[in-house]
């Protein structure tokens, strides 16, 4: 599992261990943390390799005894991508190619974990896997990221068609749950953290942009089943939430669920990010294809996830972790 110490990766590692697999984690611990794997740190079937996917030799040796590869290592988070586009391009393009070529040598199968960002500004009511991509100026780093993940998918497909790589692809839509950090801009832990601290919830723009949040515990078993299914070879699958919600309504639901005294503040995009930043107004998945293949059906209600994320943030605060979400609009602006 590349990126196995990250938010989604650590849940996947636990899931694979629970299925009886032997698991090797390759992670450079840049955005991931060994703390995410604390619950399985001493597991006899888990091996940790600290290293970067940018080093082909590291990738090859980490993979030496693997027959299945879950590739999650990536530069993630809109804030991080906007701040460090070069790093994002290198990791997402060169790093991914290193993983794909090592898997061919090893004759291992691969699940490439991609993102709904590849659809860009397409606001279609239910994005299908073959929906058009609508991307803005490639000189804006958000679209660079979408471009890089699109290239990753194209690499995967080309290695599949031309060199026999057994690869399948999943596109994650706003996956949320315990261990996700707000440090890289993700809205869910950011707003939950603000609500817990009684700080204003920072909703960017007019707050009417929508997303379909999916719970990590729904998504991870589907990823494993898709990777295992021979019919998925060369195919891409959306994995998203079932309920479309505006960010403003999300903020309200977080305040209600946590019985918080916080208010909501609207922060203009140009203050939250850099001038010229473009957001997605809407992003709604059609999950039919993954449902047909492996029975994927998002189950976890949003309020349950809000409570789980709140409990996780509180426990990390008690442990003195530095992984708490950003404090508020002021702090966020300061970073950007
Ligand atoms: N967002 C927000 N407040 C925050 C962080 C993000 O209103 O503190 C907005 C962001 O502008 C976007 C949505 O929430 O419209 C989801 O942002 P995120 O970065 O979590 O995911 P993505 O943009 O990739 O869907």
């Amino acid at each position: 599992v590349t990126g196995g110490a990250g938010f989604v990766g650590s849940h996947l590692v636990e899931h694979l261990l629970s299925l009886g697999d032997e698991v090797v984690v390759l992670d450079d611990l840049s955005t991931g943390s060994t703390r995410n794997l604390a619950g399985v740190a001493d597991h006899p079937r888990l091996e940790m390799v600290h290293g970067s996917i940018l080093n082909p030799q590291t990738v090859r040796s980490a993979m030496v005894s693997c027959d299945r590869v879950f590739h999650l290592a990536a530069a993630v988070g809109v804030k991080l991508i906007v701040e460090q586009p070069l790093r994002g391009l290198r990791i997402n393009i060169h790093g991914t190619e290193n993983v794909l070529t090592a898997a061919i040598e090893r004759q291992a199968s691969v699940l490439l974990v991609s993102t709904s960002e590849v659809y860009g500004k397409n606001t279609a009511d239910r994005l299908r896997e073959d929906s058009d991509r609508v991307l803005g100026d490639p000189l804006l780093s958000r679209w660079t990221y979408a471009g890089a993940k699109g290239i990753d998918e194209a690499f995967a497909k080309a290695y599949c068609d031309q060199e026999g790589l057994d690869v399948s692809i999943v596109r994650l839509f706003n996956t949320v749950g315990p261990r996700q950090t707000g440090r890289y801009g993700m809205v869910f832990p950011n707003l939950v953290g603000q609500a817990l601290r009684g700080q204003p919830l920072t909703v960017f723009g007019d707050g009417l942009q929508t997303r379909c949040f999916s719970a990590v515990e729904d998504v991870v078993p589907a990823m494993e089943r898709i990777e295992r299914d021979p019919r998925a070879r060369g195919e891409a699958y959306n994995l998203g939430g079932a309920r479309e919600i505006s960010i403003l309504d999300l903020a309200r639901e977080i305040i209600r669920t946590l019985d918080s005294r916080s208010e909501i503040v609207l922060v203009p995009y140009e203050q939250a990010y850099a001038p010229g930043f473009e957001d997605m107004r809407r992003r709604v998945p059609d999950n039919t294809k993954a449902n047909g293949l492996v029975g994927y059906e998002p189950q976890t209600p949003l309020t349950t996830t809000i409570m789980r994320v709140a409990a996780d943030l509180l426990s990390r605060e008690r442990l003195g972790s530095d992984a708490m979400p950003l404090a508020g609009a002021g702090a966020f602006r300061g970073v950007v």
Side-chain angles (χ1 to χ4, degrees), residues 121-166:
K121 293 184 276 190
N122 188 336
T123 55
D125 187 16
R126 312 246 159 241
L127 291 159
R128 288 162 39 110
E129 287 77 358
D130 57 359
S131 292
D132 284 340
R133 307 179 60 202
V134 183
L135 305 183
D137 183 348
L139 299 184
L140 291 176
S141 39
R142 176 165 210 161
W143 306 123
T144 308
Y145 174 61
K149 294 301 276 194
I151 293 285
D152 280 355
E153 293 196 20
F155 258 136
K157 181 82 172 110
Y159 276 117
C160 177
D161 292 345
Q162 286 189 244
E163 305 207 2
L165 177 66
D166 181 359

Side-chain angles (χ1 to χ4, degrees), residues 76-79 175 180-191:
V76 289
V78 173
K79 188 169 94 71
T175 310
Q180 187 177 36
T181 160
R183 268 201 240 159
Y184 310 110
M186 274 74 160
V187 68
F188 206 92
N190 217 15
L191 298 190

Side-chain angles (χ1 to χ4, degrees), residues 210-224:
T210 65
R211 297 292 187 271
C212 295
F213 295 95
S214 54
V216 68
E217 62 268 35
D218 292 338
V219 167
V220 157
M223 287 168 60
E224 193 280 328

Side-chain angles (χ1 to χ4, degrees), residues 78 117 142 174 185-188 190-191 202-204 209 211 247 269 273 279-280 283:
V78 173
E117 287 270 330
R142 176 165 210 161
N174 296 88
M186 274 74 160
V187 68
F188 206 92
N190 217 15
L191 298 190
T202 55
V203 170
F204 300 161
Q209 69 273 32
R211 297 292 187 271
I247 301 303
Y269 282 118
Y273 301 102
D279 198 12
M280 275 63 157
R283 196 196 268 153

Side-chain angles (χ1 to χ4, degrees), residues 87-309:
R87 177 169 177 267
L89 282 171
R90 286 193 177 125
I91 292 180
N92 292 344
I93 298 179
H94 301 317
T96 293
E97 199 183 9
N98 288 340
V99 171
L100 297 178
T101 51
I104 291 177
E105 278 172 34
R106 178 74 199 93
Q107 296 196 319
S109 59
V110 178
L111 184 77
L112 175 75
V113 179
S114 184
T115 165
S116 56
E117 287 270 330
V118 296
Y119 297 111
K121 293 184 276 190
N122 188 336
T123 55
D125 187 16
R126 312 246 159 241
L127 291 159
R128 288 162 39 110
E129 287 77 358
D130 57 359
S131 292
D132 284 340
R133 307 179 60 202
V134 183
L135 305 183
D137 183 348
L139 299 184
L140 291 176
S141 39
R142 176 165 210 161
W143 306 123
T144 308
Y145 174 61
K149 294 301 276 194
I151 293 285
D152 280 355
E153 293 196 20
F155 258 136
K157 181 82 172 110
Y159 276 117
C160 177
D161 292 345
Q162 286 189 244
E163 305 207 2
L165 177 66
D166 181 359
V167 62
S168 40
I169 298 165
V170 289
R171 297 181 185 147
L172 304 189
F173 284 66
N174 296 88
T175 310
V176 291
R179 300 180 200 148
Q180 187 177 36
T181 160
R183 268 201 240 159
Y184 310 110
M186 274 74 160
V187 68
F188 206 92
N190 217 15
L191 298 190
V192 170
Q194 290 163 342
L196 289 175
R197 295 168 164 187
Q199 294 169 336
L201 274 65
T202 55
V203 170
F204 300 161
D206 62 9
L208 301 181
Q209 69 273 32
T210 65
R211 297 292 187 271
C212 295
F213 295 95
S214 54
V216 68
E217 62 268 35
D218 292 338
V219 167
V220 157
M223 287 168 60
E224 193 280 328
R225 287 200 297 273
I226 289 170
E227 201 285 330
R228 197 161 18 106
D229 197 314
R231 294 170 297 172
R233 185 182 171 126
E235 297 285 329
Y237 296 85
N238 290 338
L239 291 175
R243 176 178 162 206
E244 182 178 10
I245 185 169
S246 72
I247 301 303
L248 198 53
D249 282 342
L250 172 69
R252 292 186 181 122
E253 196 149 330
I254 288 172
I255 288 174
R256 204 170 36 242
T257 306
L258 300 178
D259 204 14
S260 167
R261 286 173 289 109
S262 292
E263 295 173 349
I264 295 172
V265 290
L266 294 183
V267 180
Y269 282 118
E270 57 274 19
Q271 286 177 26
Y273 301 102
F277 177 82
E278 286 185 274
D279 198 12
M280 275 63 157
R281 283 307 278 175
R282 178 166 202 239
R283 196 196 268 153
V284 182
D286 184 332
N287 293 314
T288 309
K289 194 172 167 189
N291 179 277
L293 187 79
V294 296
Y296 171 69
E297 199 142 18
Q299 303 275 353
T300 313
L302 202 60
T303 48
T304 306
T305 305
I306 292 170
M307 288 187 296
R308 283 183 184 153
V309 169

